[in-house]
Amino acid sequence: MKFLLTSAGINNKSIHDALVDMLDKPIAESNALCIPTAMYGHPWVGPGVKTWQLISGNSDNTFVGLGWKSVGVLELTALPSIDEDRWVPLVRETDVLLVAGGDALYLCHWMRQSGLADLLPSLNAVYVGMSAGSMVMAPNIGEFFVGWTPPNGGDETLGLVDFAMFPHLGMLPYNTMDAAEKWAAGMQGRAYVMDDQTAIKVIDGSVEVVSEGHWKLFSP
């Protein structure tokens, strides 16, 4: 897969251009699937009106309302109760997965339970994450971001990229650089701190920061 891991969606020209470049065709010719699952695990964003706003393209943190050829919804909590042939072909045929923010560990749990986590490495789609939807790709998220607790505890996530992310730098009262530095000191491996004007592009293991804002890389 190709990954575009954002803090707050496709919200500036640089990130938009990176997405179009990764798709290799116009957005208007691309089919998307929106995955809102992470929102249900976080008390600030779901369930309820904010989930509807994201799915319908009426959210300020938009990536659904970019003018896709089609947008479907893939709700991971439903997938274990239906046959794989009902949804796996749909995922394999899509051009882009739009993965909402919320709680990264809740999202990770349902990616594994649904079988999507096993499917992701074989897909040709572009994976666009927002906040927790990006963080879930890291090896772990750090104690700072643990909210919903998985059955086995811990802060481990999917590890499909080899670095961790601290999103929303300066956008929330507690997402300060001081807090980010303390978070990074407890992480193993590379750790990116990024504001809402920043994304990380990953293709075949090559990492590129796309930003019109502020970010910092911490290396061990």
Side-chain angles (χ1 to χ4, degrees):
M1 291 198 73
K2 301 175 183 178
F3 298 97
L4 186 60
L5 305 176
T6 80
S7 178
I10 312 301
N11 56 1
N12 64 45
K13 186 178 185 301
S14 297
I15 299 175
H16 186 278
D17 290 349
L19 172 60
V20 173
D21 181 63
M22 294 169 79
L23 286 168
D24 295 326
K25 61 181 175 180
I27 286 176
E29 297 176 12
S30 302
N31 297 307
L33 283 175
C34 175
I35 300 177
T37 306
M39 301 183 76
Y40 303 121
H42 197 293
W44 290 6
V45 291
V49 65
K50 290 186 178 180
T51 308
W52 174 83
Q53 287 173 341
L54 180 98
I55 293 172
S56 63
N58 288 294
S59 171
D60 291 337
N61 297 329
T62 186
F63 54 7
V64 172
L66 293 176
W68 303 101
K69 181 179 180 180
S70 70
V71 180
V73 177
L74 188 71
E75 178 42 62
L76 303 186
T77 61
L79 299 187
S81 62
I82 61 177
D83 291 338
E84 287 190 355
D85 60 10
R86 294 272 306 280
W87 65 271
V88 169
L90 177 68
V91 174
R92 289 198 179 281
E93 292 166 5
T94 200
D95 297 305
V96 60
L97 298 176
L98 307 173
V99 186
D103 191 288
L105 293 179
Y106 184 81
L107 175 60
C108 183
H109 174 76
W110 284 107
M111 280 189 166
R112 288 173 171 152
Q113 290 293 111
S114 66
L116 181 63
D118 293 331
L119 190 62
L120 285 175
S122 67
L123 299 180
N124 292 320
V126 177
Y127 179 105
V128 181
M130 180 193 299
S131 191
S134 299
M135 295 165 67
V136 73
M137 292 294 109
N140 64 311
I141 61 172
E143 188 64 29
F144 183 87
F145 291 106
V146 174
W148 183 85
T149 305
N152 296 328
D155 70 329
E156 292 79 15
T157 39
L158 297 182
L160 294 183
V161 300
D162 63 355
F163 55 85
M165 288 153 280
F166 184 109
H168 309 305
L169 176 67
M171 304 295 124
L172 297 170
Y174 46 81
N175 283 38
T176 64
M177 183 56 79
D178 284 346
E181 289 176 354
K182 292 176 183 176
W183 166 83
M187 305 299 288
Q188 296 182 354
R190 292 181 296 163
Y192 286 89
V193 176
M194 52 202 281
D195 70 4
D196 284 0
Q197 297 299 316
T198 301
I200 301 174
K201 177 180 173 181
V202 185
I203 301 177
D204 294 331
S206 176
V207 178
E208 176 186 347
V209 177
V210 180
S211 181
E212 294 184 11
H214 302 284
W215 62 278
K216 186 172 182 178
L217 170 62
F218 291 87
S219 297

